[in-house]
């Protein structure tokens, strides 16, 4: 699910086109985009770029020996009796991505500044939960679903517009037999954890600030929430216990925090104490009954969680820059073996080359930072390490907005010459003027 969403100060509905978003698709073929050999019409909110479309076939989570694939396999091995799904199309409808999961109509994740739209009726999924209803509807009561997901984002060492999520879910019959099965599983898991090197800082399974849903029996909801916690505590021990060197004297520390998500209640976040600090690992909760009703299984109750594979792999493999997951450099790929987690050994740190660009936005239009980042990615690809907005002001007489961005060019694989960077920067400036209608200062 969209377990962690950075709220925007300005909320925009999908029906509003951010200035410049449509213009990212320029040229003779801008009336359509081709994806997996199929042509799709574009419209006023189309904002997917060629750089993003080029990522769709790569499916890093299925590449043998790749860190993301190894991590996926490790989690799947922890849930051997769950269905393991990893081949669903990234193209979904906005209804499937948001409405089936009870997202509010004004949720910021719907905005074209946050999500990639093929057109008003089709988008790239922003989370694996976009497939939750269809998988429940197929009759699967416990599954792990791994997929590439797409969100417009800033450029830095920990954010990338394409990343990989794993969704886990387990549902039960909402009757006495289902409650008995949950309670029996809870006792099994509790006994297993009692003999393990783990200390858990817990919060109430349900509370006035993190309540059971009105349609749920509080006793059953509490049992399901406990089952969720116990199950994920064993997963945290599996993932981090070994690399953290957990012992009886120095056990793995896990803590639970009350949270809010529009698609679960009660809801929680899980953190692990690793290398001297608390790290946020995943979000989870008891599935909204409306989701199960939409899936045609109203007599069920269950839990779900969502985690980002890159976030965990960067911790376990000591990978410092999220761009490295996409590297084809043998010095990166040769370090990893199928089924083994080994610390990444940096092979070089090439120098940075900083370039600034300042411009006036068209009158009555403000260029969103994600539009700028997408344009930079489309021109420069992964040789940009980060982009920072270093200045912005509004002219008191004209009302126009002036913005200055600083682009940090640094390849992970080689040194960049100043002439090469100047050429790329010139193309960025040219595209800004042509596609965004800005006036360079």
């Amino acid at each position: 699910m969209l377990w962690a969403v950075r709220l925007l100060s300005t909320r925009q509905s999908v029906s509003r086109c951010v200035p410049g978003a449509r213009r990212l698709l320029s040229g003779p073929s801008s009336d359509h985009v081709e994806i997996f050999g199929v042509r799709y019409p574009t419209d006023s909110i189309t904002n997917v770029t060629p750089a993003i479309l080029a990522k769709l076939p790569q499916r890093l989570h299925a590449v043998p020996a790749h860190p993301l694939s190894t991590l996926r396999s490790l989690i799947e091995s922890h849930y051997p009796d769950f269905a393991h799904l990893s081949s669903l199309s990234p193209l979904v409808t906005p209804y499937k991505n948001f409405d089936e999961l009870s997202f509010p109509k004004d949720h910021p994740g719907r905005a074209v500044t946050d999500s990639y739209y093929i057109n008003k009726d089709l988008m790239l999924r922003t989370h694996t939960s976009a497939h939750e209803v269809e998988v429940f509807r197929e009759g699967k009561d416990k599954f792990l679903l791994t997929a590439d997901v797409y969100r417009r984002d800033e450029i830095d060492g920990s954010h990338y517009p394409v990343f990989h999520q794993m969704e886990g879910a387990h549902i039960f019959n909402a009757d006495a037999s289902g409650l008995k099965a949950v309670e029996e599983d809870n006792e099994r898991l509790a006994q297993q954890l009692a003999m393990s090197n783990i200390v858990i800082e817990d919060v109430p399974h349900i509370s006035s600030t993190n309540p059971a849903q009105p349609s749920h029996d509080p006793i059953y909801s509490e049992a399901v929430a406990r089952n969720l916690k116990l199950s994920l505590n064993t997963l945290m021990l599996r993932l981090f216990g070994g690399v953290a060197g957990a012992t009886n004297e120095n056990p793995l520390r896990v803590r639970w925090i009350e949270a809010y998500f529009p698609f679960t209640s009660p809801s929680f976040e899980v953190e692990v104490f690793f290398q001297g600090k608390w790290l946020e690992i995943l979000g989870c909760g008891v599935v909204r009954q409306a989701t199960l009703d939409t899936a045609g299984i109203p007599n069920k109750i269950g839990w779900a969680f969502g985690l980002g594979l890159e976030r965990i792999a960067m911790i376990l493999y000591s990978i410092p820059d999220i761009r490295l997951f996409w590297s084809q450099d043998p010095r990166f790929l040769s370090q990893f073996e199928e089924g083994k987690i080994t610390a990444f050994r940096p092979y070089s740190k090439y120098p940075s080359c900083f370039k600034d660009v300042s411009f006036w936005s068209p009158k009555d239009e403000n260029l969103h930072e994600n539009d700028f980042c997408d344009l930079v990615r489309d021109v420069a690809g992964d040789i940009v390490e980060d982009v920072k907005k270093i200045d912005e002001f509004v002219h008191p007489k004209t009302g126009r907005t002036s913005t200055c961005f600083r682009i940090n060019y640094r390849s992970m694989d080689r040194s960049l010459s100043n002439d090469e960077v100047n050429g790329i920067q010139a193309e960025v400036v040219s595209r800004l003027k042509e596609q965004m209608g800005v006036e360079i200062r």
Side-chain angles (χ1 to χ4, degrees):
M1 293 189 176
L2 204 59
W3 297 106
V5 177
R6 181 166 52 257
L7 296 181
L8 301 176
S9 58
T10 301
R11 295 187 174 189
Q12 293 177 281
S13 69
V14 169
S15 62
R16 293 180 60 192
C17 179
V18 172
R22 175 68 175 83
R23 282 169 283 185
L24 288 174
L25 274 176
S26 61
S29 61
S30 61
D31 63 336
H32 76 275
V33 292
E34 185 170 317
I35 304 174
F36 300 133
V38 179
R39 290 162 61 99
Y40 297 93
T42 60
D43 58 25
S44 63
I45 68 167
T46 302
N47 62 356
V48 66
T49 67
I52 296 301
L53 293 176
K55 301 292 187 185
L56 267 62
Q58 298 197 31
R59 291 172 34 85
L60 299 183
H61 59 284
V63 176
H66 192 281
L68 299 182
S69 177
T70 294
L71 179 57
R72 173 183 65 84
S73 297
L74 176 61
I75 298 173
E76 289 177 346
S77 70
H78 190 71
Y79 293 99
D81 58 340
F82 279 43
H84 300 157
L85 312 173
S86 60
S87 299
L88 282 76
S89 171
L91 301 177
V92 298
T93 63
Y95 180 84
K96 189 172 183 177
N97 197 77
F98 298 116
D99 298 280
E100 284 189 345
L101 299 165
S102 304
F103 274 69
K105 293 296 184 183
D106 64 347
H107 194 282
R110 295 176 181 264
V112 292
T113 54
D114 271 29
S115 300
Y116 287 107
Y117 285 87
I118 311 304
N119 53 50
K120 65 182 178 62
D121 299 317
L122 196 66
M123 65 184 299
L124 299 179
R125 62 183 166 221
T126 64
H127 52 171
T128 47
S129 294
H131 305 286
E132 194 172 271
V133 167
E134 68 176 291
V135 176
F136 283 147
R137 188 178 286 133
E138 291 171 357
K140 294 180 175 63
D141 58 7
K142 46 188 175 181
F143 64 84
L144 295 174
L145 193 160
T146 310
D148 43 327
V149 300
Y150 301 79
R151 297 183 201 168
R152 304 187 73 193
D153 215 335
E154 59 199 81
I155 299 178
D156 61 31
S158 60
H159 293 86
Y160 204 81
V162 190
F163 58 103
H164 298 76
Q165 275 191 342
M166 177 175 279
E167 178 99 357
H170 192 177
I171 56 174
F172 309 87
N173 292 326
D175 56 21
S177 66
L179 178 58
K180 181 181 179 182
V182 172
E183 291 176 334
E184 289 176 350
D185 196 43
N186 286 349
E187 290 309 307
R188 177 186 65 83
L189 291 169
Q191 291 178 16
Q192 177 183 336
L193 288 166
M195 297 183 291
S196 303
N197 298 320
I198 185 172
V199 171
I200 301 156
E201 299 179 24
D202 207 353
V203 293
H205 307 319
I206 58 173
S207 68
S208 59
T209 54
N210 203 20
Q213 297 167 47
S215 61
H216 286 170
D217 180 338
I219 295 176
Y220 204 161
S221 181
E222 184 170 15
V224 170
R226 183 176 180 228
N227 186 258
L228 164 67
K229 291 180 176 181
L230 291 169
S231 179
L232 289 179
N233 285 333
T234 65
L235 177 62
M236 295 303 100
L237 187 63
R238 177 74 176 274
L239 292 177
F240 294 98
V243 293
T247 63
N248 189 51
E249 295 76 23
N250 185 32
L252 180 70
R253 294 170 60 191
V254 175
R255 72 179 179 189
W256 289 77
I257 300 170
E258 286 189 1
Y260 168 78
F261 303 112
F263 30 72
T264 55
S265 186
S267 302
F268 310 93
E269 291 178 347
V270 183
E271 296 184 345
V272 169
F273 194 75
F274 186 73
Q275 295 182 344
K277 58 184 177 181
W278 287 102
L279 302 174
E280 179 186 335
I281 303 301
L282 57 83
C284 58
V286 176
V287 178
R288 283 279 179 192
Q289 192 58 44
T291 301
L292 301 176
D293 292 347
T294 301
I297 47 173
N299 298 318
K300 299 283 187 177
I301 185 173
W303 52 254
F305 71 84
L307 58 82
L309 291 180
E310 279 88 346
R311 175 190 292 271
I312 296 177
M314 290 178 79
I315 297 169
L316 295 179
Y317 286 88
S318 299
I319 293 174
D321 191 316
I322 197 169
R323 294 176 299 162
L324 281 165
F325 291 110
W326 298 90
S327 176
Q328 295 299 307
D329 193 317
R331 291 173 295 179
F332 176 77
L333 296 175
S334 64
Q335 294 190 32
F336 308 109
E337 296 181 38
E338 184 74 27
K340 293 183 179 180
I341 294 180
T342 54
F344 168 67
R345 301 182 305 278
Y347 42 83
S348 189
K349 183 74 169 178
Y350 297 101
S352 290
C353 184
F354 295 96
K355 298 291 180 181
D356 294 353
V357 56
S358 300
F359 53 84
W360 294 104
S361 294
K363 189 172 177 59
D364 299 324
E365 292 187 19
N366 288 326
L367 177 65
H368 193 279
E369 187 169 350
N370 286 345
D371 285 331
F372 181 80
C373 288
D374 268 344
L375 185 147
V376 170
R377 283 192 180 100
D378 218 35
V379 173
D382 287 345
I383 66 170
V384 173
E385 183 171 272
D386 58 65
V387 170
K388 295 179 180 178
K389 182 162 61 175
I390 60 174
D391 186 48
E392 184 175 69
F393 71 92
V394 178
H395 194 285
K397 294 184 178 180
T398 66
R400 295 176 70 189
T401 298
S402 172
T403 309
C404 181
F405 286 99
R406 176 161 294 163
I407 305 173
N408 177 13
Y409 293 93
R410 190 209 303 261
S411 172
M412 299 173 292
D413 306 324
R414 60 187 177 86
S415 292
L416 301 173
S417 69
N418 197 54
D419 286 345
E420 179 181 4
V421 172
N422 284 340
I424 297 171
Q425 181 76 356
E427 178 64 18
V428 168
V429 171
S430 175
R431 293 270 296 269
L432 271 173
K433 293 189 293 185
E434 176 187 347
Q435 297 179 16
M436 304 299 183
V438 306
E439 179 185 340
I440 302 298
R441 295 186 63 198

